Amino acid sequence: MLTGRKYRLDLTPGQDDLAERIGGACRSVWNTGLEQRRIYRRRGGWIGYHDQARQLVEAKGEFEWLAEVPGHCLQQTLIDLDQACAEHGTWKVRWKSKVNNPPSFRFPEGGKIAIERLNRRWARAKLPKLGWVRFRITRPLGGTVKNATVSRDGKHWYISFLVEDGITPPVRHAHPGSGVGIDRGVVKVVTRSDGRFHHQVFARDREVEHAKKLQRDFARTTKGSARRKRAAGRVADLARKVRRRREDFAAKTAHSLAIGFELVVFEALATKNMTAGVEPRPDPERSGAFLLNGAASKSGLNRSILDKGWHRIEVAIRSKARYTGTRVITVSPAYTSQTCNVCTVVDRKSRKSQAVFWCTSCGHTEDADVNAAKNILTAGRAEPAQPRPGVRAGARKPRTRVGRKAPPSNSHRADGARTGRNPLI
Ligand SMILES: [Zn+2]
């Protein structure tokens, strides 16, 4: 299976400068290529990867700053641009700005990258133009390298290898029939249907206060000044620290869930509402000005510091699930927090508080999140089984319920109570 390995690089000052220039050139090629595509489109024409790649070769003869960087990285940028435009449309693909897009470039031919282990801690890889780059080998590569991406995150440079590890997906999970429902919340990050939970505070109160202060400091600096750059660096450092904790938590949670369960059910998140920006509202009194619309609270600080990383957990478990044979599905979040898991009655009033669920119909009392997680699992179990990617279609018969009478419409409650399971279909 394809997997990733990321290591921190230890570049010499010369390599550091060159890497920065390669990243800059790739960004510039991306933006120029996108601009060109848009110009063509405006005129009713079209330009694709092959024409752009040919023009890039010509441009390299003219510009020294293009000639000094590895051609493969520039070509790869055009390929990425081509794919982005095909997927999202030329008008939706974004420019890469120097501020918001830290340098990153890929060497597509992994087979040609020589990798040597120097000692227990260090290894080196030979990259075109950059030469031998040293990196801290914190875990074995464990496979053949398909490509390598060099990127900067704050002060440090990293190298990520795409590796084919030669492991094949398991036919069946180690615990057949096991399943867990996951309720994602704010008080506890992850609550499981078996009553256990995974929780971590990613940013302590003190750190949130500190982040606000750093943000204020940043706002007081003038654009383009050295102080502004330093202030932005401090904000980013703190955000990075918090992000690492979140990544670590997501990886550990994903590991424990994928190892333990054959079926993991999440509720589908309305990520669009959560991450989308707020529509600007023009101020009718002043032309060109905008009313306060809460956009600031949705961006920046909130996203980087207060985010719980629910989506990341889901991505992590999907990746981990390939190795354990776990099936990950999402179900509609509708009514999962208002439905009693014992008698299946839906009542908004059953949710007594953030923490307590107390069924108005049968009196069942439970932690509100655990009740929701159980409903999520029930809904997930009711979903028809889909063949896993990598498993040959038809290799496993989908389970169908045959020979069971459909319950009469008014026996919905009785059925749930008798079997102890919530149909919730
Ligand atoms: Zn009930």
Side-chain angles (χ1 to χ4, degrees):
M1 272 181 278
L2 289 174
T3 185
R5 293 279 185 275
K6 191 173 180 182
Y7 305 101
R8 196 163 109 186
L9 284 167
D10 177 38
L11 297 181
T12 64
Q15 286 172 333
D16 192 309
D17 287 347
L18 179 55
E20 200 72 50
R21 290 204 297 278
I22 298 171
C26 286
R27 195 185 58 224
S28 166
V29 163
W30 174 280
N31 287 338
T32 315
L34 181 57
E35 174 73 41
Q36 197 181 30
R37 279 168 182 263
R38 288 187 175 182
I39 289 171
Y40 270 70
R41 287 292 298 277
R42 266 190 218 110
R43 293 182 190 152
W46 190 80
I47 186 166
Y49 165 71
H50 292 288
D51 287 332
Q52 291 195 320
R54 195 171 36 76
Q55 292 181 21
L56 176 65
V57 175
E58 290 163 13
K60 281 175 83 170
E62 256 178 79
F63 301 104
E64 164 65 18
W65 59 274
L66 273 178
E68 68 158 357
V69 305
H72 273 161
C73 297
L74 299 175
Q75 267 176 30
Q76 187 60 48
T77 304
L78 286 178
I79 293 172
D80 291 344
L81 176 66
D82 191 52
Q83 278 172 0
C85 288
E87 198 176 323
H88 306 289
T90 311
W91 305 103
K92 287 222 169 134
V93 174
R94 297 221 182 159
W95 308 107
K96 287 199 192 295
S97 84
K98 198 171 181 179
V99 181
N100 295 325
N101 302 82
S104 168
F105 46 91
R106 188 179 313 148
F107 296 92
E109 289 189 312
K112 290 189 180 165
I113 300 170
I115 295 169
E116 282 177 6
R117 187 138 192 165
L118 297 169
N119 51 45
R120 199 171 61 81
R121 275 196 174 171
W122 293 93
R124 61 177 190 169
K126 196 173 189 188
L127 299 175
K129 307 256 175 160
L130 279 167
W132 286 106
V133 293
R134 270 160 52 98
F135 60 92
R136 276 201 62 169
I137 187 137
T138 38
R139 65 183 292 194
L141 263 173
T144 48
V145 171
K146 294 284 170 194
N147 66 42
T149 304
V150 174
S151 59
R152 179 166 62 72
D153 184 9
K155 289 188 280 270
H156 298 296
W157 287 91
Y158 295 85
I159 187 161
S160 319
F161 295 106
L162 181 70
V163 172
E164 170 57 67
D165 58 14
I167 299 173
T168 48
V171 179
R172 194 82 212 258
H173 192 272
H175 303 289
S178 58
V180 68
I182 301 295
D183 182 60
R184 292 176 272 200
V186 176
V187 182
K188 282 172 198 149
V189 183
V190 163
T191 303
R192 291 164 37 166
S193 54
D194 59 4
R196 292 183 58 191
F197 57 88
H198 300 264
H199 184 66
Q200 189 177 326
V201 176
F202 301 125
R204 295 173 197 106
D205 292 346
R206 197 166 47 83
E207 286 170 325
V208 174
E209 286 310 309
H210 188 52
K212 283 181 189 163
K213 184 192 167 290
L214 291 177
Q215 205 89 20
R216 283 197 299 272
D217 290 350
F218 175 77
R220 276 195 288 266
T221 57
T222 37
K223 270 190 181 169
S225 68
R227 274 190 63 223
R228 191 178 183 85
K229 213 175 163 186
R230 280 199 302 276
R234 281 193 287 268
V235 173
D237 280 344
L238 182 59
R240 196 171 302 115
K241 194 163 144 189
V242 174
R243 196 187 72 211
R244 291 241 171 81
R245 282 184 202 142
R246 236 175 353 237
E247 280 169 1
D248 180 57
F249 172 80
K252 284 173 179 162
T253 307
H255 178 81
S256 132
L257 291 172
I259 293 281
F261 299 95
E262 188 180 33
L263 174 71
V264 176
V265 191
F266 286 101
E267 49 183 350
L269 286 177
T271 32
K272 207 170 175 204
N273 294 344
M274 289 162 61
T275 53
V278 184
E279 281 288 306
R281 279 191 297 151
D283 189 340
E285 308 281 309
R286 300 168 295 159
S287 68
F290 292 90
L291 294 170
L292 286 174
N293 60 1
S297 67
K298 269 207 151 186
S299 65
L301 184 74
N302 256 356
R303 284 236 297 270
S304 60
I305 304 286
L306 301 175
D307 182 31
K308 294 289 173 203
W310 293 310
H311 179 66
R312 194 184 297 275
I313 294 168
E314 198 179 318
V315 171
I317 187 156
R318 280 185 194 280
S319 168
K320 190 79 197 162
R322 302 179 304 151
Y323 288 88
T324 57
T326 300
R327 195 172 140 234
V328 184
I329 55 175
T330 50
V331 295
S332 161
Y335 307 113
T336 48
S337 62
Q338 301 170 15
T339 306
C340 172
N341 187 257
V342 174
C343 70
T344 77
V345 166
V346 181
D347 187 356
R348 200 156 47 86
K349 294 195 197 94
S350 292
R351 179 114 193 206
K352 292 294 172 203
S353 66
Q354 179 62 38
V356 179
F357 183 90
W358 187 16
C359 181
T360 51
S361 180
C362 74
H364 170 64
T365 316
E366 198 165 30
D367 180 289
D369 292 336
V370 173
N371 179 66
K374 282 182 176 173
N375 287 332
I376 291 165
L377 175 61
T378 314
R381 290 232 193 252
E383 294 267 313
Q386 291 145 355
R388 283 206 317 273
V391 176
R392 201 157 35 86
R396 209 160 36 120
K397 261 191 175 170
R399 271 190 296 163
T400 43
R401 285 199 276 171
V402 186
R404 251 183 92 179
K405 268 191 286 176
S409 56
N410 63 349
S411 75
H412 209 64
R413 280 183 57 179
D415 184 55
R418 193 171 61 244
T419 58
R421 274 181 56 189
N422 178 350
L424 248 196
I425 310 168

